[in-house]
Coordinates of all heavy atoms in Angstrom, one line a residue:
E1163 N 18.1 8.5 -23.7 CA 18.7 8.9 -22.3 C 18.4 7.8 -21.3 O 19.3 7.4 -20.6 CB 18.2 10.2 -22.0 CG 19.1 10.8 -20.9 CD 18.8 12.2 -20.6 OE1 18.0 12.9 -21.4 OE2 19.2 12.8 -19.6
W1164 N 17.1 7.4 -21.2 CA 16.7 6.4 -20.3 C 17.4 5.1 -20.4 O 17.9 4.4 -19.5 CB 15.1 6.1 -20.3 CG 14.4 7.3 -19.8 CD1 14.1 8.4 -20.5 CD2 13.8 7.4 -18.6 NE1 13.3 9.3 -19.7 CE2 13.1 8.7 -18.5 CE3 13.7 6.7 -17.4 CZ2 12.4 9.1 -17.4 CZ3 13.1 7.1 -16.3 CH2 12.5 8.3 -16.2
I1165 N 17.6 4.6 -21.7 CA 18.2 3.4 -22.0 C 19.6 3.5 -21.8 O 20.2 2.5 -21.2 CB 17.9 3.1 -23.4 CG1 16.5 2.8 -23.8 CG2 18.7 1.7 -23.9 CD1 15.7 1.8 -23.0
K1166 N 20.3 4.6 -21.9 CA 21.7 4.8 -21.7 C 22.0 4.7 -20.2 O 22.8 4.0 -19.7 CB 22.2 6.2 -22.2 CG 23.7 6.4 -22.0 CD 24.1 7.8 -22.6 CE 25.4 8.0 -22.1 NZ 25.9 9.4 -22.6
W1167 N 21.1 5.3 -19.4 CA 21.1 5.3 -17.9 C 20.9 3.8 -17.5 O 21.7 3.4 -16.6 CB 20.1 6.2 -17.3 CG 20.3 6.3 -15.8 CD1 21.0 7.1 -15.1 CD2 19.6 5.4 -14.9 NE1 20.9 6.8 -13.7 CE2 20.0 5.8 -13.6 CE3 18.6 4.5 -15.0 CZ2 19.5 5.2 -12.4 CZ3 18.1 3.8 -13.8 CH2 18.6 4.2 -12.6
K1168 N 20.0 3.1 -18.0 CA 19.7 1.7 -17.6 C 20.9 0.8 -17.9 O 21.2 0.0 -17.1 CB 18.4 1.2 -18.3 CG 18.2 -0.3 -18.0 CD 17.2 -0.9 -19.0 CE 17.8 -1.1 -20.4 NZ 18.6 -2.4 -20.6
D1169 N 21.5 1.1 -19.2 CA 22.6 0.2 -19.4 C 23.8 0.5 -18.5 O 24.5 -0.5 -18.1 CB 23.0 0.5 -20.9 CG 22.0 0.0 -22.0 OD1 21.1 -0.9 -21.5 OD2 22.1 0.4 -23.1
E1170 N 24.1 1.7 -18.2 CA 25.1 2.1 -17.1 C 24.7 1.4 -15.8 O 25.6 0.8 -15.1 CB 25.3 3.6 -16.9 CG 26.1 4.1 -18.1 CD 27.5 3.7 -18.2 OE1 28.2 3.5 -17.1 OE2 28.0 3.2 -19.2
A1171 N 23.5 1.6 -15.3 CA 23.0 1.0 -14.1 C 23.2 -0.5 -14.0 O 23.7 -1.2 -13.0 CB 21.6 1.3 -13.8
S1172 N 23.0 -1.2 -15.2 CA 23.1 -2.7 -15.2 C 24.5 -3.1 -15.1 O 24.8 -4.4 -14.9 CB 22.5 -3.2 -16.5 OG 21.1 -2.8 -16.6
K1173 N 25.5 -2.3 -15.3 CA 26.9 -2.7 -15.1 C 27.3 -3.0 -13.6 O 28.2 -3.8 -13.4 CB 27.9 -1.6 -15.8 CG 27.7 -1.5 -17.1 CD 28.7 -0.4 -17.7 CE 28.6 -0.3 -19.3 NZ 29.4 0.9 -19.8
T1174 N 26.7 -2.3 -12.8 CA 27.0 -2.4 -11.3 C 25.9 -2.9 -10.4 O 26.1 -3.1 -9.2 CB 27.5 -1.0 -10.8 OG1 26.3 -0.1 -11.0 CG2 28.7 -0.5 -11.6
T1175 N 24.7 -3.0 -11.1 CA 23.6 -3.6 -10.2 C 22.8 -4.5 -10.9 O 22.8 -4.7 -12.1 CB 22.5 -2.3 -9.8 OG1 21.9 -1.9 -11.0 CG2 23.3 -1.3 -9.1
K1176 N 21.9 -5.3 -10.1 CA 20.9 -6.2 -10.8 C 19.7 -5.2 -11.1 O 19.2 -4.7 -10.1 CB 20.6 -7.3 -9.9 CG 19.7 -8.3 -10.5 CD 19.5 -9.5 -9.5 CE 18.4 -10.5 -10.3 NZ 18.1 -11.5 -9.2
F1177 N 19.3 -5.1 -12.3 CA 18.4 -4.0 -12.7 C 17.2 -4.6 -13.5 O 17.4 -5.3 -14.5 CB 19.1 -3.0 -13.4 CG 18.3 -1.8 -13.7 CD1 18.3 -0.7 -12.7 CD2 17.6 -1.5 -14.8 CE1 17.5 0.5 -12.9 CE2 16.9 -0.3 -15.0 CZ 16.9 0.6 -14.1
D1178 N 16.0 -4.2 -13.1 CA 14.8 -4.6 -13.9 C 14.1 -3.2 -14.1 O 13.7 -2.6 -13.3 CB 13.8 -5.5 -13.1 CG 12.5 -5.8 -13.9 OD1 12.2 -5.1 -14.9 OD2 11.8 -6.5 -13.4
F1179 N 14.1 -2.8 -15.4 CA 13.7 -1.5 -15.8 C 12.2 -1.2 -15.4 O 11.9 0.0 -15.1 CB 13.8 -1.4 -17.4 CG 14.0 0.0 -17.8 CD1 14.8 0.9 -17.2 CD2 13.3 0.4 -19.0 CE1 14.8 2.3 -17.7 CE2 13.3 1.8 -19.4 CZ 14.1 2.6 -18.9
G1180 N 11.4 -2.2 -15.2 CA 10.1 -1.9 -14.7 C 9.1 -1.5 -15.9 O 9.4 -1.7 -17.0
M1181 N 8.0 -0.8 -15.4 CA 7.0 -0.3 -16.4 C 6.5 1.1 -16.0 O 6.5 1.4 -14.7 CB 5.9 -1.3 -16.4 CG 6.3 -2.7 -16.9 SD 6.6 -2.7 -18.7 CE 5.0 -2.4 -19.4
P1182 N 5.9 1.8 -16.8 CA 5.1 3.0 -16.4 C 3.9 2.6 -15.6 O 3.4 1.5 -15.8 CB 4.9 3.7 -17.6 CG 5.1 2.8 -18.7 CD 5.9 1.6 -18.2
L1183 N 3.4 3.5 -14.8 CA 2.2 3.2 -14.0 C 1.2 4.4 -14.1 O 1.7 5.5 -14.3 CB 2.5 3.0 -12.5 CG 3.5 1.9 -12.1 CD1 3.9 2.0 -10.7 CD2 2.8 0.5 -12.4
Q1184 N 0.0 4.1 -13.9 CA -1.1 5.2 -13.9 C -2.0 4.9 -12.7 O -2.6 3.8 -12.7 CB -1.8 5.2 -15.2 CG -2.9 6.4 -15.2 CD -3.6 6.5 -16.6 OE1 -3.1 5.9 -17.5 NE2 -4.5 7.4 -16.6
G1185 N -2.2 5.8 -11.8 CA -3.1 5.7 -10.7 C -4.6 5.6 -11.3 O -4.9 6.5 -12.1
I1186 N -5.4 4.7 -10.8 CA -6.7 4.6 -11.2 C -7.7 4.9 -10.1 O -8.5 5.9 -10.2 CB -7.1 3.2 -11.7 CG1 -6.1 2.8 -12.9 CG2 -8.6 3.1 -12.2 CD1 -6.3 3.6 -14.1
C1187 N -7.6 4.2 -9.0 CA -8.6 4.4 -7.9 C -7.7 4.3 -6.5 O -6.9 3.6 -6.4 CB -9.7 3.4 -7.9 SG -10.8 3.4 -9.3
R1188 N -8.3 5.0 -5.5 CA -7.9 4.8 -4.2 C -9.0 4.1 -3.4 O -10.1 4.6 -3.4 CB -7.5 6.0 -3.5 CG -7.2 5.9 -2.1 CD -6.6 7.1 -1.5 NE -5.2 7.1 -2.1 CZ -4.5 8.3 -2.2 NH1 -5.0 9.4 -1.9 NH2 -3.3 8.2 -2.7
I1189 N -8.7 3.0 -2.8 CA -9.8 2.1 -2.1 C -9.4 2.3 -0.7 O -8.2 2.0 -0.1 CB -9.7 0.7 -2.5 CG1 -10.0 0.5 -4.0 CG2 -10.7 -0.2 -1.7 CD1 -8.8 0.4 -4.8
T1190 N -10.4 2.7 0.2 CA -10.3 2.8 1.6 C -11.5 2.2 2.3 O -12.4 1.8 1.6 CB -10.2 4.2 2.1 OG1 -11.4 4.9 1.8 CG2 -9.0 5.1 1.4
S1191 N -11.4 2.1 3.6 CA -12.7 1.5 4.3 C -13.8 2.5 4.1 O -15.0 2.0 4.2 CB -12.3 1.4 5.7 OG -12.0 2.6 6.4
G1192 N -13.6 3.6 3.7 CA -14.6 4.6 3.5 C -15.3 4.7 2.1 O -16.3 5.3 1.8
G1193 N -14.6 3.8 1.1 CA -15.1 3.8 -0.3 C -14.0 3.9 -1.2 O -12.8 3.8 -0.9
I1194 N -14.4 4.2 -2.5 CA -13.5 4.3 -3.6 C -13.5 5.7 -4.2 O -14.7 6.3 -4.5 CB -13.9 3.3 -4.6 CG1 -13.8 1.9 -4.1 CG2 -13.0 3.4 -5.9 CD1 -14.4 0.8 -5.0
T1195 N -12.3 6.3 -4.3 CA -12.2 7.6 -5.0 C -11.2 7.5 -6.1 O -10.5 6.5 -6.3 CB -11.8 8.7 -4.0 OG1 -10.5 8.3 -3.5 CG2 -12.8 8.8 -2.9
D1196 N -11.0 8.6 -6.9 CA -10.1 8.6 -8.0 C -8.7 8.7 -7.2 O -8.5 9.3 -6.2 CB -10.2 9.9 -8.8 CG -11.3 9.7 -9.7 OD1 -11.8 8.7 -10.0 OD2 -11.9 10.8 -10.3
S1197 N -7.8 8.1 -7.9 CA -6.3 8.1 -7.3 C -5.7 9.5 -7.6 O -5.8 9.9 -8.7 CB -5.5 7.0 -7.9 OG -4.2 7.1 -7.5
D1198 N -4.9 9.9 -6.7 CA -4.2 11.1 -6.9 C -2.6 10.9 -6.6 O -1.8 11.8 -6.4 CB -4.6 12.3 -6.0 CG -4.5 12.0 -4.5 OD1 -4.0 10.9 -4.2 OD2 -4.7 13.0 -3.8
T1199 N -2.2 9.6 -6.8 CA -0.8 9.3 -6.6 C 0.1 9.9 -7.7 O -0.3 10.0 -8.8 CB -0.6 7.8 -6.6 OG1 0.7 7.5 -6.3 CG2 -1.0 7.1 -7.9
P1200 N 1.3 10.4 -7.1 CA 2.2 11.0 -8.1 C 3.1 9.9 -8.8 O 3.9 10.2 -9.6 CB 3.0 12.0 -7.2 CG 3.0 11.3 -5.9 CD 1.6 10.6 -5.9
V1201 N 2.9 8.6 -8.3 CA 3.8 7.5 -8.8 C 3.5 7.3 -10.3 O 2.3 7.2 -10.7 CB 3.6 6.3 -8.0 CG1 4.4 5.1 -8.6 CG2 3.9 6.5 -6.5
S1202 N 4.6 7.3 -11.1 CA 4.4 7.2 -12.5 C 5.2 5.9 -13.1 O 5.1 5.8 -14.3 CB 4.8 8.4 -13.3 OG 6.2 8.7 -13.0
G1203 N 5.9 5.2 -12.2 CA 6.6 4.0 -12.8 C 7.4 3.4 -11.7 O 7.4 3.9 -10.5
Y1204 N 8.0 2.3 -12.0 CA 8.8 1.6 -11.0 C 9.9 0.9 -11.6 O 9.9 0.6 -12.9 CB 8.0 0.5 -10.2 CG 7.6 -0.7 -11.1 CD1 8.4 -1.8 -11.0 CD2 6.5 -0.7 -11.9 CE1 8.3 -3.0 -11.7 CE2 6.3 -1.9 -12.7 CZ 7.2 -3.0 -12.6 OH 6.9 -4.1 -13.4
S1205 N 11.0 0.6 -11.0 CA 12.1 -0.2 -11.4 C 12.6 -1.1 -10.2 O 12.3 -0.6 -9.0 CB 13.3 0.6 -11.9 OG 12.9 1.3 -13.0
F1206 N 13.1 -2.2 -10.3 CA 13.8 -3.0 -9.3 C 15.2 -2.9 -9.5 O 15.9 -3.1 -10.6 CB 13.4 -4.4 -9.4 CG 12.0 -4.6 -8.9 CD1 11.0 -5.0 -9.8 CD2 11.6 -4.6 -7.5 CE1 9.7 -5.2 -9.5 CE2 10.2 -4.8 -7.1 CZ 9.3 -5.1 -8.1
I1207 N 15.9 -2.5 -8.3 CA 17.4 -2.4 -8.4 C 18.0 -3.1 -7.2 O 17.5 -2.8 -6.1 CB 17.9 -0.9 -8.3 CG1 17.2 0.0 -9.5 CG2 19.4 -0.9 -8.3 CD1 17.5 1.4 -9.4
E1208 N 18.9 -4.0 -7.4 CA 19.6 -4.7 -6.4 C 21.1 -4.4 -6.4 O 21.7 -4.6 -7.5 CB 19.3 -6.2 -6.5 CG 19.9 -7.0 -5.3 CD 19.6 -8.5 -5.5 OE1 18.7 -8.9 -6.1 OE2 20.4 -9.3 -4.9
G1209 N 21.6 -3.8 -5.4 CA 23.0 -3.4 -5.5 C 23.8 -3.9 -4.2 O 23.2 -4.5 -3.4
D1210 N 25.0 -3.4 -4.2 CA 25.9 -3.9 -3.1 C 25.5 -3.2 -1.7 O 25.6 -3.7 -0.6 CB 27.3 -3.6 -3.4 CG 27.9 -4.4 -4.4 OD1 27.4 -5.6 -4.6 OD2 28.9 -4.0 -5.1
S1211 N 25.0 -1.9 -1.8 CA 24.5 -1.2 -0.6 C 23.4 -0.2 -1.0 O 23.4 0.2 -2.2 CB 25.8 -0.6 0.0 OG 26.2 0.5 -0.8
K1212 N 22.9 0.4 0.1 CA 22.0 1.5 -0.1 C 22.6 2.6 -0.7 O 22.2 3.3 -1.5 CB 21.3 1.8 1.2 CG 20.3 2.9 1.1 CD 19.6 3.3 2.4 CE 20.6 4.2 3.3 NZ 20.0 4.6 4.4
D1213 N 23.8 2.9 -0.1 CA 24.6 4.1 -0.6 C 24.9 4.0 -2.1 O 24.9 4.9 -2.7 CB 25.9 4.3 0.3 CG 25.6 4.7 1.7 OD1 24.5 5.3 1.9 OD2 26.4 4.5 2.6
A1214 N 25.3 2.8 -2.5 CA 25.7 2.6 -3.9 C 24.4 3.0 -4.9 O 24.5 3.5 -5.9 CB 26.2 1.2 -4.1
I1215 N 23.3 2.4 -4.4 CA 22.0 2.6 -5.1 C 21.7 4.1 -5.2 O 21.3 4.7 -6.1 CB 20.9 1.7 -4.6 CG1 21.2 0.3 -4.9 CG2 19.6 2.1 -5.2 CD1 20.3 -0.8 -4.3
L1216 N 21.8 4.8 -3.9 CA 21.5 6.2 -3.9 C 22.4 7.1 -4.8 O 21.9 7.9 -5.5 CB 21.6 6.7 -2.4 CG 20.5 6.3 -1.5 CD1 20.9 6.6 -0.1 CD2 19.2 6.8 -1.9
E1217 N 23.6 6.7 -4.9 CA 24.6 7.3 -5.8 C 24.2 7.2 -7.3 O 24.2 8.1 -8.1 CB 26.0 6.8 -5.6 CG 27.1 7.6 -6.2 CD 27.2 9.1 -5.8 OE1 26.9 9.3 -4.6 OE2 27.4 9.9 -6.6
L1218 N 23.7 5.9 -7.6 CA 23.2 5.7 -8.9 C 22.0 6.5 -9.3 O 21.9 7.1 -10.3 CB 22.9 4.2 -9.1 CG 22.4 3.7 -10.4 CD1 23.4 3.8 -11.5 CD2 21.8 2.3 -10.2
L1219 N 21.1 6.6 -8.3 CA 19.9 7.3 -8.6 C 20.0 8.8 -8.7 O 19.1 9.5 -9.3 CB 18.9 7.0 -7.5 CG 18.3 5.5 -7.5 CD1 17.4 5.3 -6.3 CD2 17.5 5.3 -8.8
K1220 N 21.1 9.3 -8.2 CA 21.3 10.8 -8.3 C 21.4 11.3 -9.8 O 21.1 12.3 -10.1 CB 22.6 11.2 -7.7 CG 22.6 11.2 -6.2 CD 24.0 11.6 -5.6 CE 24.0 11.4 -4.1 NZ 25.4 11.8 -3.6
S1221 N 21.7 10.3 -10.7 CA 21.8 10.6 -12.2 C 20.6 10.1 -12.9 O 20.6 10.1 -14.2 CB 23.1 10.1 -12.7 OG 23.1 8.7 -12.7
H1222 N 19.5 9.8 -12.3 CA 18.4 9.1 -13.0 C 17.8 10.2 -13.9 O 17.6 11.4 -13.5 CB 17.3 8.7 -11.9 CG 16.3 7.8 -12.5 ND1 15.3 8.3 -13.3 CD2 16.0 6.5 -12.4 CE1 14.5 7.4 -13.6 NE2 14.9 6.2 -13.0
P1223 N 17.5 9.9 -15.2 CA 16.9 10.9 -16.1 C 15.7 11.5 -15.7 O 15.4 12.6 -16.1 CB 16.8 10.1 -17.4 CG 17.5 8.8 -17.2 CD 17.7 8.6 -15.8
H1224 N 14.8 10.8 -14.9 CA 13.6 11.4 -14.4 C 13.8 12.7 -13.6 O 13.0 13.6 -13.7 CB 12.8 10.3 -13.6 CG 11.5 10.7 -13.1 ND1 10.5 10.9 -14.1 CD2 11.0 11.1 -11.9 CE1 9.4 11.3 -13.4 NE2 9.6 11.5 -12.1
L1225 N 14.9 12.8 -13.0 CA 15.2 14.0 -12.2 C 15.4 15.3 -13.0 O 15.4 16.4 -12.5 CB 16.4 13.7 -11.2 CG 16.1 12.7 -10.2 CD1 17.5 12.4 -9.4 CD2 15.0 13.0 -9.3
K1226 N 15.6 15.1 -14.3 CA 15.7 16.3 -15.2 C 14.4 17.0 -15.4 O 14.4 18.1 -15.9 CB 16.4 15.9 -16.4 CG 17.8 15.4 -16.3 CD 18.4 15.0 -17.6 CE 19.8 14.6 -17.3 NZ 20.5 14.3 -18.6
R1227 N 13.3 16.3 -15.1 CA 11.9 17.0 -15.3 C 11.8 17.8 -14.1 O 11.8 17.4 -13.0 CB 10.9 15.9 -15.4 CG 11.1 15.0 -16.7 CD 10.2 14.0 -16.8 NE 8.8 14.6 -17.1 CZ 7.7 14.0 -17.2 NH1 7.6 12.8 -16.9 NH2 6.6 14.6 -17.5
A1228 N 11.2 19.1 -14.3 CA 11.0 20.0 -13.2 C 9.9 19.4 -12.2 O 8.9 18.7 -12.6 CB 10.4 21.3 -13.7
G1229 N 10.2 19.4 -10.9 CA 9.3 19.0 -9.9 C 9.3 17.4 -9.7 O 8.5 16.9 -8.9
S1230 N 10.1 16.7 -10.4 CA 10.1 15.2 -10.3 C 10.9 14.7 -9.1 O 11.7 15.5 -8.5 CB 10.5 14.6 -11.5 OG 11.9 14.9 -11.8
S1231 N 10.7 13.5 -8.7 CA 11.5 12.9 -7.7 C 11.6 11.4 -7.9 O 10.8 10.9 -8.6 CB 10.9 13.2 -6.3 OG 9.6 12.7 -6.3
V1232 N 12.5 10.8 -7.2 CA 12.6 9.3 -7.2 C 12.6 8.9 -5.7 O 13.3 9.4 -4.9 CB 13.8 8.9 -7.9 CG1 14.1 7.3 -7.7 CG2 13.9 9.3 -9.3
D1233 N 11.6 7.9 -5.4 CA 11.6 7.4 -4.0 C 12.3 6.0 -4.1 O 12.1 5.2 -4.9 CB 10.2 7.1 -3.5 CG 9.5 8.4 -3.2 OD1 10.2 9.5 -3.3 OD2 8.3 8.4 -2.9
L1234 N 13.2 5.7 -3.2 CA 13.9 4.4 -2.9 C 13.1 3.7 -1.9 O 13.0 4.1 -0.7 CB 15.3 4.6 -2.5 CG 16.1 3.4 -2.3 CD1 16.1 2.5 -3.5 CD2 17.5 3.6 -1.8
L1235 N 12.4 2.5 -2.3 CA 11.7 1.8 -1.3 C 12.4 0.4 -1.3 O 13.0 -0.1 -2.2 CB 10.3 1.5 -1.8 CG 9.5 2.8 -2.2 CD1 8.2 2.4 -2.8 CD2 9.3 3.6 -0.9
E1236 N 12.4 -0.2 0.1 CA 13.1 -1.5 0.2 C 11.9 -2.6 0.3 O 10.9 -2.4 1.0 CB 13.8 -1.4 1.5 CG 14.6 -2.7 1.8 CD 15.5 -2.7 3.0 OE1 15.4 -1.7 3.7 OE2 16.1 -3.7 3.3
I1237 N 12.2 -3.7 -0.3 CA 11.3 -4.9 -0.1 C 11.6 -5.6 1.1 O 12.8 -6.0 1.3 CB 11.3 -5.8 -1.4 CG1 10.9 -5.0 -2.7 CG2 10.5 -7.0 -1.2 CD1 11.1 -5.8 -4.0
L1238 N 10.7 -5.8 2.0 CA 11.0 -6.4 3.3 C 10.4 -7.9 3.2 O 9.4 -8.1 2.6 CB 10.3 -5.7 4.4 CG 10.7 -4.2 4.6 CD1 9.8 -3.5 5.6 CD2 12.1 -4.0 4.9
S1239 N 11.1 -8.8 3.8 CA 10.7 -10.1 3.9 C 9.5 -10.2 5.0 O 9.4 -9.4 5.9 CB 11.8 -11.1 4.4 OG 12.2 -10.7 5.7
M1240 N 8.6 -11.1 4.7 CA 7.4 -11.2 5.5 C 7.6 -12.5 6.5 O 7.8 -13.5 5.9 CB 6.1 -11.3 4.8 CG 5.8 -10.0 4.0 SD 4.2 -10.1 3.2 CE 3.0 -10.4 4.6
P1241 N 7.5 -12.3 7.8 CA 7.7 -13.4 8.7 C 6.7 -14.6 8.3 O 5.5 -14.3 8.0 CB 7.3 -12.8 10.1 CG 7.5 -11.4 9.9 CD 7.2 -11.0 8.5
G1242 N 7.3 -15.7 8.3 CA 6.4 -16.8 8.1 C 6.1 -17.2 6.6 O 5.4 -18.2 6.2
M1243 N 6.8 -16.5 5.6 CA 6.6 -16.7 4.2 C 7.8 -17.1 3.6 O 8.9 -16.7 3.8 CB 6.0 -15.5 3.5 CG 4.7 -15.1 4.1 SD 3.7 -13.9 3.0 CE 3.5 -15.0 1.6

């Protein structure tokens, strides 16, 4: 199901499937604790517009799992780099 969705997404977007992730530690100025991040993976998607990507993500297979979500994050350019 994931591969079928990725193949469809690749028809209309520039798509890097990414990898699964597992939180290990949270580092703060106060020290190091166990991570409690809900993030479990990432993908890179480049499309014509934010709306086009949002429409694509509505059918993401991850959303079929109870209590799951997908966050859309934008990569921002850094001044001077």
Side-chain angles (χ1 to χ4, degrees):
E1163 192 171 351
W1164 289 81
I1165 300 302
K1166 182 179 174 184
W1167 184 86
K1168 176 196 71 81
D1169 290 345
E1170 280 299 310
S1172 296
K1173 291 178 182 177
T1174 58
T1175 63
K1176 185 175 176 185
F1177 190 86
D1178 176 351
F1179 202 43
M1181 296 291 287
L1183 300 171
Q1184 179 177 353
I1186 303 296
C1187 296
R1188 172 166 290 149
I1189 300 97
T1190 67
S1191 60
I1194 300 173
T1195 59
D1196 289 339
S1197 174
D1198 63 354
T1199 183
V1201 176
S1202 62
Y1204 75 93
S1205 297
F1206 288 105
I1207 302 173
E1208 184 179 337
D1210 292 335
S1211 68
K1212 178 182 81 172
D1213 290 338
I1215 293 171
L1216 289 172
E1217 191 61 34
L1218 175 69
L1219 290 173
K1220 287 179 184 178
S1221 63
H1222 195 287
H1224 185 68
L1225 297 176
K1226 293 182 178 181
R1227 298 180 70 188
S1230 67
S1231 63
V1232 173
D1233 287 355
L1234 178 61
L1235 306 172
E1236 183 176 4
I1237 297 174
L1238 302 174
S1239 61
M1240 292 185 59
M1243 294 197 71

